Amino acid sequence: MEYKYLLCEEKGALAVVTVNRPDKLNAINRDMFFELRDMFRDIAANDAVRVVILTGSGQKAFVAGADIAELARLTPTQARDLSRLGQDVMEGIARCPKPVIAAVNGWALGGGLELAMCCHFRIASSTARMGVPEVSLGLIPGYAGTQRLPRLVGLGQAMQMILTGEPVKADEALRIGLVNQIVEPDDLLPTCEKIAGQIASRGPVAVRFAAEAVSRGLDGTLEEGSWLEQTLFGLLWTTEDMKEGCGAFLEKRKPDFHGR
Ligand code: COA
């Protein structure tokens, strides 16, 4: 598969996906959504990949938002269709069976922050700035930003960011829980790779079920989420990985997981 706007580098169990449109600060357009959809479908089906890092090319931006030149040309119906497409693609990333870590290497604005937010968690460079500036364009976030931001940082912080459109610096993003860690720019990918390595060394089926229990659980009630947890918990007893993991502990050796 040829991609115009995405790069993918596989390093063992890790896939590093880079949004690569540096002359426009990696702004997302419609074609890029189709590419992201295909890329994450391929990754989901690729047994060799256990963890994904998503980042932006260049020093300045993760993704500086939806492509405003493209937005400006849309009819209302086309805008709604683009919003639905973007939401679907981002939901697909959120449901990716392999954990996706956003390495936020600079500006993450509008659709760029929405893209970072659909990842399983975020690590930021000290140079990163994050925000949802849509109201300054007379718009609102259209790729589920109004829904994911309050779930991540709480109602008050999300309201302030969405209503003012003002971006936050990395330290503020850390304080409100939008990112998990801030590192120097040169340390961003190595740090994400280290965390990805930890995840990749765990039982792959367990990692997948854990992410599903957490994210699907948050969509429903505590009772529904707990029911899902017990169902997935029991299902793990059917896997070789569970027998290997517990057996390895009891035999005082490292587990050798195969994702089965
Ligand atoms: N859509 C389309 N093009 C974009 C873009 C976007 N969201 N963000 C940046 N670009 C383009 C610029 O138009 C410029 O293109 P040009 O060189 O052909 O003129 C190029 O990327 C570089 O951006 P520039 O604005 O010159 O960089 P800067 O360092 O001065 O400013 C930002 C960086 C991020 C502050 C600024 O680009 C910006 O505000 N972008 C829009 C952010 C936004 O509102 N996003 C939400 C969209 S819903």
Side-chain angles (χ1 to χ4, degrees):
M1 175 92 197
E2 281 291 306
Y3 291 98
K4 184 173 173 197
Y5 297 116
L6 300 178
L7 303 171
C8 183
E9 186 189 357
E10 275 186 48
K11 298 178 174 180
L14 172 67
V16 181
V17 176
T18 305
V19 177
N20 186 34
R21 196 189 177 200
D23 56 323
K24 297 290 177 192
L25 301 186
N26 306 321
I28 309 187
N29 57 22
R30 193 165 165 271
D31 288 345
M32 200 187 281
F33 278 132
F34 290 126
E35 291 196 1
L36 281 166
R37 190 178 62 186
D38 291 346
M39 175 70 81
F40 277 88
R41 272 186 192 158
D42 285 353
I43 285 172
N46 183 345
D47 287 342
V49 174
R50 292 190 183 176
V51 189
V52 185
I53 294 173
L54 180 61
T55 193
S57 77
Q59 302 293 317
K60 279 179 76 173
F62 174 73
V63 168
D67 184 332
I68 299 170
E70 185 180 66
L71 293 184
R73 291 192 297 266
L74 300 177
T75 65
T77 308
Q78 287 170 335
R80 187 173 191 207
D81 288 345
L82 184 67
S83 173
R84 185 179 309 140
L85 172 68
Q87 289 176 354
D88 285 352
V89 170
M90 293 198 190
E91 185 62 17
I93 295 172
R95 301 278 182 226
C96 180
K98 326 286 168 86
V100 185
I101 305 170
V104 183
N105 56 311
W107 290 106
L109 295 174
L113 182 56
E114 290 168 306
L115 184 63
M117 287 195 296
C118 75
C119 296
H120 291 79
F121 57 91
R122 288 142 294 283
I123 307 294
S125 137
S126 54
T127 58
R129 289 195 180 202
M130 284 154 267
V132 267
E134 281 85 346
V135 290
S136 44
L137 298 164
L139 298 173
I140 65 170
Y143 307 139
T146 60
Q147 305 306 302
R148 284 208 171 87
L149 191 58
R151 282 169 171 77
L152 272 173
V153 303
L155 179 60
Q157 296 288 356
M159 276 290 189
Q160 187 173 340
M161 286 179 71
I162 292 167
L163 300 185
T164 65
E166 284 295 322
V168 294
K169 291 185 180 159
D171 55 351
E172 178 70 355
L174 179 68
R175 194 185 69 76
I176 64 178
L178 190 50
V179 303
N180 292 3
Q181 193 179 341
I182 306 172
V183 295
E184 288 310 308
D186 288 346
D187 295 332
L188 182 61
L189 282 180
T191 301
C192 292
E193 287 180 19
K194 189 170 167 217
I195 298 168
Q198 290 168 335
I199 296 171
S201 72
R202 313 304 187 209
V205 186
V207 164
R208 175 179 180 172
F209 285 4
E212 277 178 3
V214 172
S215 56
R216 296 235 180 229
L218 267 186
D219 293 341
T221 63
L222 178 66
E223 194 186 357
E224 288 161 350
S226 300
W227 179 87
L228 175 63
E229 183 188 82
Q230 58 178 257
T231 304
L232 294 174
F233 188 79
L235 194 53
L236 284 166
W237 264 252
T238 65
T239 65
E240 289 174 20
D241 282 357
M242 180 270 174
K243 292 178 183 74
E244 171 62 15
C246 293
F249 175 82
L250 295 172
E251 291 160 19
K252 301 189 187 305
R253 60 176 174 82
K254 278 196 156 186
D256 180 19
F257 293 120
H258 294 284
R260 291 195 289 262

